[in-house]
Amino acid sequence: MARLFIALALLATDLAAQGTVTGIVTDRGRPLSDVEVLIEEFRLSSRTNAAGEFSLSVPAGRRVVLARAVGFHPIYLNVQVRDSAIVDIEFELQRMAQVMDSVVTRVDAPAVRSAKLAGFDERREKGIGTFLTRAELAEQEHSLMSTVLRATGLHTIRRPERCGGGFALGTNRGVSSLYVPPRGRCPFPIGCYSTVYLDGILIWAPGRTEPPNIDDFKVHSLEAIEVYRSNGMVPIEYQAVGTECGVVLLWTRER
């Protein structure tokens, strides 16, 4: 209980301090206007002006800033915001590939993928969340899962060494979402742990046993990954008690 009070006190102090995040969003060096720049955990957002510039007043602390626009891949950046300080950042957005009306590969796609990952493809087209395809994962096959997922804006929470070590997944959400692991042999830190699904089956949610070591999953064994960093982004079919800290969907490769 004392640890929880300390965590609450530190968070309250952190929220009282304010800093400013400013910057520019570009496309191959050209400023982009009307791009949404936001910090999801506080529901703070701004849009770039004609010069591609934006400005946000943000509670001090480690924050994840998202830039997104129609026709571009969203980008997350981790920034350290200090009280009364200005942090200047730059986003270089990349355009999404245009899909032609006639795509031969769809006709030749394996039936197994159509049945298993049809939902993945549909959700990816909507653009809500972060999606990693087999081609993108192939470029990182020799990386740890914690490294790959950290680049999507997720936090990694270190697991106690006496309980196997490694990292659990989490987000930097508010106090109401903090998860206090059940008492046991593993003294897990208080945090906001993400719910994890494997091939559409729930394998861990807050309130169960200790959070899994995400590095036990190997990048080369996965076909795709979906990351939803807040409950409001989670697809309705995966919304349940315990998803306040977001959901990660892992899809294994076709054999």
Side-chain angles (χ1 to χ4, degrees):
M1 183 62 70
R3 292 176 60 193
L4 179 58
F5 286 147
I6 293 174
L8 295 176
L10 290 174
L11 184 57
T13 301
D14 189 38
L15 294 177
Q18 292 277 327
T20 303
V21 177
T22 65
I24 186 172
V25 182
T26 61
D27 169 25
R28 288 172 291 188
R30 296 189 296 270
L32 278 177
S33 62
D34 202 33
V35 176
E36 185 180 18
V37 181
L38 65 156
I39 298 180
E40 296 172 303
E41 63 180 302
F42 297 108
R43 298 182 180 179
L44 298 173
S45 66
S46 176
R47 287 191 176 274
T48 57
N49 58 22
E53 300 168 335
F54 66 90
S55 179
L56 279 170
S57 294
V58 183
R62 192 74 176 175
R63 307 299 175 210
V64 178
V65 186
L66 165 64
R68 63 187 181 189
V70 176
F72 294 86
H73 291 287
I75 294 182
Y76 292 90
L77 287 180
N78 287 290
V79 298
Q80 181 67 47
V81 181
R82 293 183 171 81
D83 187 22
S84 302
I86 297 176
V87 180
D88 192 61
I89 59 178
E90 180 176 348
F91 289 98
E92 178 77 22
L93 296 189
Q94 295 183 353
R95 293 180 180 273
M96 293 183 177
Q98 297 298 312
V99 180
M100 303 301 292
D101 292 338
S102 177
V103 182
V104 177
T105 53
R106 287 189 177 179
V107 177
D108 298 333
V112 175
R113 173 176 170 79
S114 298
K116 181 177 178 179
L117 292 179
F120 171 87
D121 294 329
E122 292 174 1
R123 291 186 291 273
R124 185 180 175 220
E125 288 183 3
K126 293 178 181 178
I128 300 175
T130 302
F131 299 83
L132 298 176
T133 64
R134 172 90 288 272
E136 292 167 319
L137 293 173
E139 298 177 353
Q140 308 178 72
E141 283 197 346
H142 300 294
S143 300
L144 294 173
M145 278 289 293
S146 56
T147 301
V148 172
L149 291 174
R150 196 179 293 123
T152 70
L154 284 173
H155 287 252
T156 50
I157 304 172
R158 187 174 295 278
R159 302 172 79 254
E161 290 298 328
R162 72 181 188 185
C163 302
F167 294 92
L169 296 177
T171 55
N172 191 14
R173 304 292 297 170
V175 175
S176 61
S177 299
L178 288 179
Y179 162 60
V180 182
R183 291 184 179 180
R185 67 184 185 89
C186 295
F188 272 75
I190 296 173
C192 200
Y193 293 82
S194 300
T195 297
V196 181
Y197 284 81
L198 181 65
D199 288 337
I201 299 173
L202 178 64
I203 62 172
W204 189 85
R208 298 191 172 198
T209 56
E210 296 92 351
N213 177 13
I214 198 62
D215 286 334
D216 286 341
F217 299 93
K218 305 306 177 185
V219 177
H220 66 79
S221 70
L222 296 178
E223 183 73 19
I225 299 175
E226 300 176 53
V227 176
Y228 301 97
R229 294 183 52 258
S230 66
N231 189 52
M233 301 171 67
V234 178
I236 189 169
E237 60 266 38
Y238 295 106
Q239 287 184 354
V241 176
T243 59
E244 290 85 357
C245 297
V247 169
V248 177
L249 305 178
L250 306 175
W251 301 98
T252 55
R253 292 185 68 175
E254 314 296 350
R255 300 300 180 184

